[in-house]
Amino acid sequence: MHFSIPETESRSGDSGGSAYVAYNIHVNGVLHCRVRYSQLLGLHEQLRKEYGANVLPAFPPKKLFSLTPAEVEQRREQLEKYMQAVRQDPLLGSSETFNSFLRRAQQETQQVPTEEVSLEVLLSNGQKVLVNVLTSDQTEDVLEAVAAKLDLPDDLIGYFSLFLVREKEDGAFSFVRKLQEFELPYVSVTSLRSQEYKIVLRKSYWDSAYDDDVMENRVGLNLLYAQTVADIERGWILVTKEQHRQLKSLQEKVSKKEFLRLAQTLRHYGYLRFDACVADFPEKDCPVVVSAGNSELSLQLRLPGQQLREGSFRVTRMRCWRVTSSVPLPSGGASSPGRARGEVRLELAFEYLMSKDRLQWVTISSPQAIMMSICLQSMVDELMVKKSGGSIRKMLRRRVGGSLRRSASQQAVKSPPLLESPDTSRESMVKLSSKLSAVSLRGIGTPGTDASASDVHGNFAFEGIGDEDL
């Protein structure tokens, strides 16, 4: 996720107490929670008790006297870097201490009391599933509740995830992000205060070979079938007239497995499609539609004669990638302490092995750039699991007597990209670089661009999984 603390607020204390500075923590540009320095210090001290001081990043020290505006801004930047560093760390970022802190802070900030509510979750075909959850239930709890309502077996829950989407006027879904373990789904969707935002259940893996595991179960088969039919109807899966006729015939016969077997042979089966955006391939400012799946990013574009052209970029040929952002500062030049910055404009750039001896950077400008990078990372992780002989099948917590048994431990999470705090001394357009930190990434040398070596990370799949056709 894109963690940032873009601004501070001066707030009055409880019962008319003295004013204090609050730090707004944003996730992907949306306010997640509002916290005080003392709360973050408490988190730091708890993490230090559990993991030791040598594991933790530096935390900004206490001050004896009131802070000047410049010191408030300096502390904001230090706290932002601290939160990013903790989130990036595979141990700290997946810890229950860190994630439960963010969940509590989210609930307190949005002033949502803990109570039982009905939450609507959509299937890919638009079918609604109503589940009774607590407002304080985390993502895994809600996923389990949906699975229980659908009668999906425990050992198949790990094949599916919950996604936050924005429903467009034509009914299509624009994917915002995969819901994470540090957030409360009910609070996340209701705090956006718009009926456009929904929670959708969708399969979370990329390799269609895992379909066999899911299709063994009736509910799993129905979920895959519904998702595939919906993807075809939206035009996400590319189908010829003859293939469409065959699929229609299988639908009429309700031959779901045969339908899926045919669909698996189609271009873009199981892909996630993003909103139209702009890329610099094959030429600058080229309008494209990006899809992710089958260990690749696909870029589709329309030529002047309406001819559809596609460029496919295999994950195993991406030496590295990064997310950068352009942040317009407020009018008048450099930002002043506490002033909010403009909307973040994001770019995904990856260095691609075009031929045996030629590497080239490709850049995609899209508000969904972070989601794209997370898709890349999850495809790499899946490839590495497969290479090591592992399995993505996993058992989640079981329900006891129909209710959730809360667990102190959480599944380890791959740290998504985080954006650095902007340097206010730069020009009105500030270039930022993300750090894509995860178990399958490592730092590499400086590429021929404006990012430093610490901003760009390499891809283990580039080395570990060869392309025989090169």
Side-chain angles (χ1 to χ4, degrees):
M1 292 298 103
H2 166 195
F3 268 68
S4 63
I5 306 180
E7 72 269 342
T8 60
E9 290 184 18
S10 294
R11 302 183 67 83
S12 299
D14 297 333
S15 303
S18 58
Y20 64 91
V21 173
Y23 297 90
N24 294 338
I25 297 179
H26 287 232
V27 177
N28 281 16
V30 176
L31 177 67
H32 178 79
C33 61
R34 186 178 292 112
V35 294
R36 301 174 67 162
Y37 170 83
S38 59
Q39 291 174 288
L40 292 172
L41 177 60
L43 169 66
H44 174 73
E45 291 175 344
Q46 183 61 36
L47 289 171
R48 185 176 60 184
K49 287 179 185 177
E50 294 182 25
Y51 299 100
N54 60 327
V55 176
L56 291 169
F59 190 84
K62 289 181 180 179
K63 300 282 187 179
L64 293 176
F65 304 103
S66 297
L67 302 181
T68 66
E71 288 173 329
V72 169
E73 174 64 9
Q74 181 184 45
R75 176 177 278 183
R76 182 200 66 77
E77 293 178 354
Q78 291 171 338
L79 289 172
E80 181 174 73
K81 290 179 179 178
Y82 174 84
M83 291 296 288
Q84 291 172 350
V86 171
R87 173 62 182 162
Q88 285 177 305
D89 187 276
L91 180 65
L92 302 175
S94 63
S95 69
E96 177 63 6
T97 297
F98 180 69
N99 291 315
S100 62
F101 172 85
L102 288 172
R103 291 194 296 266
R104 286 194 304 270
Q106 182 188 27
Q107 187 176 7
E108 291 170 3
T109 298
Q110 301 299 339
Q111 297 181 331
V112 177
T114 297
E115 58 186 358
E116 188 170 312
V117 293
S118 289
L119 179 63
E120 181 181 279
V121 176
L122 301 182
L123 304 185
S124 294
N125 61 357
Q127 180 183 337
K128 298 176 181 178
V129 180
L130 280 179
V131 291
N132 292 325
V133 298
L134 296 177
T135 53
S136 57
D137 277 344
Q138 59 190 283
T139 301
E140 189 178 343
D141 298 333
V142 175
L143 179 59
E144 285 189 344
V146 174
K149 189 70 176 281
L150 295 171
D151 202 23
L152 182 70
D154 286 354
D155 63 340
L156 292 184
I157 296 176
Y159 289 80
F160 294 87
S161 292
L162 298 175
F163 294 84
L164 180 66
V165 304
R166 182 175 59 83
E167 190 173 24
K168 297 188 283 189
E169 290 184 2
D170 60 359
F173 294 146
S174 175
F175 283 79
V176 178
R177 69 174 184 271
K178 179 179 173 180
L179 292 178
Q180 301 290 320
E181 75 293 343
F182 58 74
E183 61 186 315
L184 311 176
Y186 176 83
V187 178
S188 292
V189 71
T190 57
S191 64
L192 292 169
R193 293 174 175 80
S194 172
Q195 295 299 315
E196 292 182 334
Y197 291 95
K198 313 283 185 182
I199 295 176
V200 170
L201 179 74
R202 187 177 173 88
K203 73 176 186 179
S204 59
Y205 58 90
W206 303 100
D207 190 340
S208 61
Y210 292 117
D211 284 350
D212 291 343
D213 296 342
V214 180
M215 289 165 60
E216 291 173 1
N217 175 264
R218 175 185 57 83
V219 177
L221 173 63
N222 289 337
L223 288 172
L224 280 187
Y225 177 75
Q227 177 177 314
T228 304
V229 170
D231 286 356
I232 290 173
E233 290 176 349
R234 294 187 185 110
W236 288 17
I237 298 175
L238 307 183
V239 184
T240 64
K241 288 184 178 179
E242 174 59 23
Q243 290 167 338
H244 191 273
R245 186 194 64 77
Q246 294 175 23
L247 290 167
K248 200 69 176 174
S249 174
L250 291 171
Q251 269 186 282
E252 292 170 354
K253 296 176 184 176
V254 198
S255 302
K256 296 181 180 179
K257 282 192 177 180
E258 291 77 6
F259 180 95
L260 287 171
R261 293 299 183 202
L262 175 56
Q264 287 173 339
T265 67
L266 304 179
R267 186 79 179 115
H268 290 189
Y269 169 78
Y271 282 48
L272 198 66
R273 178 178 285 198
F274 299 94
D275 298 340
C277 56
V278 175
D280 64 358
F281 182 89
E283 57 189 26
K284 189 178 179 182
D285 297 327
C286 185
V288 297
V289 174
V290 178
S291 299
N294 193 30
S295 302
E296 70 176 16
L297 280 186
S298 164
L299 273 63
Q300 290 179 290
L301 63 145
R302 288 274 179 198
L303 297 178
Q306 292 299 304
Q307 180 185 358
L308 188 67
R309 180 176 174 182
E310 181 178 4
S312 297
F313 298 91
R314 302 293 299 173
V315 139
T316 51
R317 293 190 187 179
M318 293 180 186
R319 191 174 76 106
C320 55
W321 71 82
R322 67 175 185 213
V323 173
T324 61
S325 66
S326 299
V327 184
L329 297 179
S331 58
S335 67
S336 59
R339 290 184 66 184
R341 293 164 176 82
E343 183 180 354
V344 175
R345 291 196 289 268
L346 298 167
E347 293 180 344
L348 170 72
F350 55 88
E351 192 176 29
Y352 195 74
L353 189 62
M354 295 291 184
S355 59
K356 189 173 183 180
D357 299 312
R358 185 169 71 91
L359 286 161
Q360 178 180 332
W361 281 90
V362 176
T363 301
I364 301 168
S365 301
S366 167
Q368 296 172 296
I370 293 174
M371 182 72 184
M372 291 178 191
S373 72
I374 293 172
C375 289
L376 285 177
Q377 183 58 58
S378 61
M379 285 190 279
V380 168
D381 292 337
E382 196 171 292
L383 284 170
M384 299 309 293
V385 167
K386 191 172 183 179
K387 179 179 181 290
S388 65
S391 171
I392 65 168
R393 182 186 289 267
K394 51 182 178 257
M395 293 283 289
L396 301 188
R397 297 166 294 153
R398 293 184 177 274
R399 292 171 174 266
V400 180
S403 62
L404 288 173
R405 182 179 67 204
R406 304 291 190 243
S407 171
S409 62
Q410 299 295 313
Q411 290 176 290
V413 123
K414 308 294 183 295
S415 298
L418 307 174
L419 295 178
E420 290 181 331
S421 173
D423 178 357
T424 57
S425 65
R426 297 187 188 180
E427 300 294 326
S428 58
M429 292 295 288
V430 185
K431 279 290 184 182
L432 307 175
S433 295
S434 73
K435 296 183 180 299
L436 299 168
S437 175
V439 293
S440 57
L441 296 180
R442 62 177 178 82
I444 62 170
T446 306
T449 63
D450 60 355
S452 67
S454 62
D455 293 326
V456 182
H457 295 256
N459 168 14
F460 273 151
F462 180 81
E463 295 180 339
I465 302 173
D467 280 321
E468 286 78 14
D469 56 331
L470 282 184

